[in-house]
Amino acid sequence: MNLNEPIRAHRVGQAVGNYRWTICAMLFFATTVNYLDRQVLSLLAPQLSTQFGWSNSDYANIAAVFQFVYAISMLFAGRFVDRIGTKAAYVVAIAIWSTGAIMHAFAVPMGEGIAAVSGAIGLAVIPVSIAGFMLSRAVLAIGEAGNFPIAIKATAEYFPKKERSLATGIFNSGANVGAILAPICVPLIAGLWGWEAAFMVIGMLGFVWVAVWAALYEKPEQQKRLSADELAYIRSDQTVQPFAPVPAGAVDKKVSWFKLLTYRQTWAFAFGKFMTDGVWWFFLFWLPTYLSAQYGMKGADIVMPLAVLYSMTMVGSIGGGWFPSYFMARGDAPYDGRMKAMLVIALFPLVVLLAQPLGYIGFWVPVLLIGVGASAHQAWSCNIFTTVSDMFPQKTVASVVGIGGMAGGLGGVVMTKIGGWVFDYYKSVNDIHTGYMIMFAICALAYLVAWSVMKTLVPRHKEITDL
């Protein structure tokens, strides 16, 4: 087959097939399930805090366990994905995280078991409920750490560079759909059957998705549902490497983490994730508590504000994925167009600075302003992920995403711990308003700091071809 023929056909407007968008839809649903599972705890936090007597710091410690284990697991998840492949890695990851999600329903008996073992060997005993939820969050984190390295690798396999940020924006919007559905489903399920059922019912969704994924996904070269024209289009803007015959039985050489860390591109991605992922974690874990603390909202009261807020973030995710193409259409290379888009996006979170000063008007003001900031985060996220596949060869994409994901997870731990300390302190002096103002200021400024450092480390695009 002459690969130039399908490429020319596309250039004159003829169809090349769209199976790649079926894969994108699968990634979207996986990410939706991912965020449904992790959101359940934050929505039940006010109820569970009352039931089990948790302080803000107790809740922050439970959330921080998830983030810390997620961060460490991201590093290994990337290497795991590159080693066993996209299809098998997703099956393993979702099976683990769905199991972890269901384990939350049994947090109390698990905590009692942990307490018994700890007491028997003379260790300090963590309160039963906290210990059980920490263990459940750790298992959830191990599995969920695989989602984004796998999804970014699948996107690199199935999309040309010019479409990757849009595809990433679409599947990344699954996070927003999950965050919208969770406040609708979780209080309803918890109200009908108890909080344990909320974890169990939502946790089972992942096992349904795995069956569909196993039936639909293969590598593009092995995918019978993918036309030759579409495969040629997917490969149309890849860097052509000099051909060298591969000896029979030879195995691709694995690239070490230490080698990847010698590239400034890796550090730019990792720093950008460290500075900004914590903002999203903060919104995800603390918004229900914020609405409860500032406006006395409980249970079903927070459904509509959170649904509106996360609906806004869908616009940011998909629009942010499209935005770099505006600059590319005017002649910018993919990386240059992406960085210009990310600079504009980094300005939008500044409106979060107004959330507390204008919050006296009513809760809709901070909800909408935070919605703009969260929407900007999703636009930023789909672009920062795609910078990896812009610069690194496919065989290392998941590993680099894993390194950056670890940095982002650690940034989330820092933000969560700072939030717990700040809120407990200002609650003790009866000034929780100031505590939220401090945290919102950090969220607002993080993106400009991240962009400035990333641009300094990688001032212009340089694709890596020596790995």
Side-chain angles (χ1 to χ4, degrees):
M1 179 183 69
N2 183 352
L3 293 184
N4 289 325
E5 291 179 2
I7 296 171
R8 278 200 305 271
H10 172 71
R11 286 172 179 166
V12 297
Q14 296 179 15
V16 296
N18 58 12
Y19 190 75
R20 65 194 184 279
W21 296 108
T22 300
I23 299 302
C24 185
M26 289 298 299
L27 303 178
F28 167 86
F29 286 116
T31 306
T32 300
V33 173
N34 183 284
Y35 271 79
L36 273 170
D37 285 333
R38 74 174 66 178
Q39 186 82 340
V40 176
L41 179 63
S42 65
L43 290 164
L44 295 177
Q47 173 187 339
L48 296 175
S49 295
T50 300
Q51 181 174 339
F52 297 118
W54 296 344
S55 67
N56 284 319
S57 291
D58 290 332
Y59 174 61
N61 288 336
I62 294 171
V65 166
F66 175 90
Q67 292 165 308
F68 181 76
V69 175
Y70 184 90
I72 301 303
S73 299
M74 278 288 280
L75 181 63
F76 294 97
R79 179 53 54 92
F80 178 71
V81 175
D82 282 334
R83 183 175 296 275
I84 74 167
T86 310
K87 182 176 183 177
Y90 239 146
V91 172
V92 173
I94 295 195
I96 293 173
W97 96 50
S98 297
T99 300
I102 294 170
M103 284 173 59
H104 287 71
F106 307 97
V108 174
M110 286 192 304
E112 291 170 346
I114 294 171
V117 173
S118 299
I121 60 177
L123 296 178
V125 178
I126 302 173
V128 166
S129 64
I130 295 175
F133 277 101
M134 282 182 170
L135 177 59
S136 303
R137 298 308 279 179
V139 176
L140 179 70
I142 291 170
E144 290 208 344
N147 185 70
F148 282 99
I150 300 169
I152 295 298
K153 188 176 182 69
T155 302
E157 290 174 350
Y158 265 89
F159 288 86
K161 290 181 180 179
K162 59 189 173 186
E163 290 183 347
R164 286 178 191 170
S165 64
L166 176 58
T168 302
I170 291 172
F171 85 68
N172 192 46
S173 69
N176 313 317
V177 173
I180 292 167
L181 292 177
I184 297 172
C185 299
V186 172
L188 178 62
I189 296 171
L192 289 174
W193 301 303
W195 63 265
E196 296 93 340
F199 287 108
M200 295 181 67
V201 171
I202 293 176
M204 289 298 297
L205 294 176
F207 292 109
V208 177
W209 183 93
V210 162
V212 181
W213 173 258
L216 294 182
Y217 191 90
E218 297 291 347
K219 286 185 177 180
E221 295 79 8
Q222 301 168 359
Q223 179 58 261
K224 295 179 181 178
R225 299 176 181 88
L226 192 68
S227 70
D229 284 356
E230 187 172 8
L231 178 60
Y233 174 65
I234 290 168
R235 300 289 181 253
S236 63
D237 60 0
Q238 289 185 0
T239 301
V240 178
Q241 300 291 340
F243 175 78
V246 179
V251 178
D252 284 344
K253 184 179 179 181
K254 302 300 179 183
V255 181
S256 71
W257 288 314
F258 296 105
K259 176 65 174 176
L260 293 173
L261 289 173
T262 63
Y263 294 94
R264 291 197 293 178
Q265 290 91 332
T266 303
W267 287 100
F269 175 66
F271 184 83
K273 293 288 285 179
F274 177 83
M275 286 299 300
T276 59
D277 272 17
V279 177
W280 180 253
W281 290 112
F282 176 78
F283 291 150
L284 194 68
F285 287 140
W286 289 103
L287 275 178
T289 303
Y290 167 70
L291 293 174
S292 175
Q294 290 279 265
Y295 298 100
M297 302 173 73
K298 303 285 185 182
D301 295 340
I302 67 174
V303 171
M304 185 58 69
L306 291 183
V308 169
L309 188 151
Y310 287 114
S311 295
M312 294 172 66
T313 64
M314 284 188 64
V315 176
S317 185
I318 298 173
W322 166 85
F323 192 24
S325 65
Y326 171 85
F327 298 102
M328 294 177 203
R330 284 154 178 76
D332 284 314
Y335 177 80
D336 298 326
R338 223 173 300 288
M339 289 302 290
K340 287 182 180 179
M342 289 170 70
L343 176 59
V344 176
I345 291 166
L347 299 175
F348 281 88
L350 296 177
V351 303
V352 178
L353 291 169
L354 300 174
Q356 287 298 81
L358 300 181
Y360 70 92
I361 298 173
F363 69 86
W364 279 113
V365 173
V367 165
L368 294 176
L369 292 174
I370 293 168
V372 172
S375 183
H377 173 85
Q378 292 297 74
W380 170 277
S381 182
C382 64
N383 280 287
I384 192 172
F385 272 129
T386 313
T387 62
V388 178
S389 58
D390 283 343
M391 295 182 289
F392 287 88
Q394 281 188 20
K395 66 179 180 179
T396 62
V397 165
S399 293
V400 177
V401 170
I403 292 170
M406 182 185 71
L410 293 176
V413 172
V414 172
M415 280 287 285
T416 299
K417 292 294 291 180
I418 290 174
W421 294 329
V422 168
F423 298 147
D424 274 344
Y425 171 75
Y426 281 99
K427 184 178 179 180
S428 71
V429 298
N430 199 30
D431 189 17
I432 194 68
H433 178 91
T434 299
Y436 280 104
M437 183 177 292
I438 292 170
M439 297 306 299
F440 289 158
I442 295 172
C443 293
L445 298 171
Y447 298 86
L448 284 174
V449 174
W451 187 92
S452 299
V453 174
M454 290 178 68
K455 187 65 174 175
T456 300
L457 288 171
V458 187
R460 61 187 60 85
H461 176 256
K462 183 180 180 182
E463 190 161 350
I464 295 169
T465 59
D466 59 346
L467 289 174

